Amino acid sequence: EDLITEALLNHPSMAISDREAAVEKEKIRAAVTAFIPNLIGYANRVDTSDSHQIFTNYWLGGINTAITLFDGFANINYYKAAKELHKASLLRRDQATITLMIQVIRASDQVQIAKDKVILAEQIERTNSMHLSEVQKQYKQGLIQTSDMLTMTAEAQSADVQNIQAIFQYVPD
């Protein structure tokens, strides 16, 4: 569980997936703003030399609004598309999470298998070593033939090689 948590927090693909989901969420917000009317404020100072005016200087100001009526269907479609893209990005993020979790579990299982292979290879090596010493004693006494002695020596060396290979695949702490 700790390995999975660490992988989810530190793996670059998770950061990329999270960022993509955030971008798609911002696209939804941008689509929503298409429905908001545009407000335009203005102010203007007017100076006149007309002597019939009561005030020769005055300010004009106001607010204009505009709603895009004919872009309504495009805005709705853009909003729907943004929502679907956001859902798709969340789905991709979930898939990346599950994929990463599976990769961590597989790697953990492979490490455990390598540990088990080392233990098994060491046990086989010890067993073959003891059996080889028994066969060597019997050979010195003349109880077994040279071919049996050579076969047992080859098996013991094969167990040594398997032990070295297992240790190479997993170096214990």
Side-chain angles (χ1 to χ4, degrees):
E1 292 178 8
D2 293 337
L3 293 175
I4 291 173
T5 303
E6 178 136 356
L8 290 175
L9 290 174
N10 296 327
H11 201 273
S13 68
M14 294 309 301
I16 291 169
S17 296
D18 288 340
R19 191 68 191 136
E20 285 177 354
V23 166
E24 295 302 330
K25 190 172 184 179
E26 289 299 319
K27 286 182 181 179
I28 291 174
R29 289 182 182 170
V32 168
T33 61
F35 296 108
I36 299 173
N38 296 325
L39 296 174
I40 302 168
Y42 64 92
N44 192 10
R45 178 178 161 84
V46 177
D47 291 322
T48 183
S49 62
D50 189 0
S51 61
H52 296 295
Q53 295 284 337
I54 297 174
F55 301 106
T56 58
N57 299 327
Y58 56 94
W59 284 91
L60 293 175
I63 296 177
N64 286 336
T65 62
I67 298 175
T68 55
L69 192 58
F70 295 106
D71 291 340
F73 292 117
N75 293 342
I76 290 171
N77 290 335
Y78 180 67
Y79 175 73
K80 287 179 181 179
K83 282 182 76 170
E84 291 301 317
L85 289 172
H86 179 64
K87 286 179 187 177
S89 70
L90 292 176
L91 182 62
R92 283 192 303 272
R93 184 182 68 185
D94 291 344
Q95 288 174 341
T97 301
I98 291 171
T99 301
L100 187 60
M101 291 170 72
I102 289 171
Q103 288 173 347
V104 169
I105 291 170
R106 279 186 186 158
S108 177
D109 288 346
Q110 288 175 350
V111 168
Q112 187 60 43
I113 288 170
K115 285 180 185 178
D116 293 343
K117 281 183 179 180
V118 168
I119 292 169
L120 181 63
E122 287 173 350
Q123 290 173 349
I124 290 172
E125 183 182 16
R126 278 195 303 272
T127 304
N128 281 342
S129 166
M130 291 188 315
H131 190 245
L132 179 61
S133 66
E134 290 288 325
V135 168
Q136 285 174 341
K137 288 179 187 176
Q138 291 175 357
Y139 177 73
K140 288 180 183 175
Q141 294 172 358
L143 299 175
I144 37 177
Q145 298 176 358
T146 307
S147 63
D148 293 335
M149 171 67 179
L150 291 176
T151 301
M152 191 55 218
T153 304
E155 287 178 10
Q157 289 178 349
S158 175
D160 288 342
V161 169
Q162 287 177 353
N163 187 25
I164 291 169
Q165 286 175 340
I167 290 171
F168 180 74
Q169 287 179 354
Y170 171 76
V171 179
D173 295 335

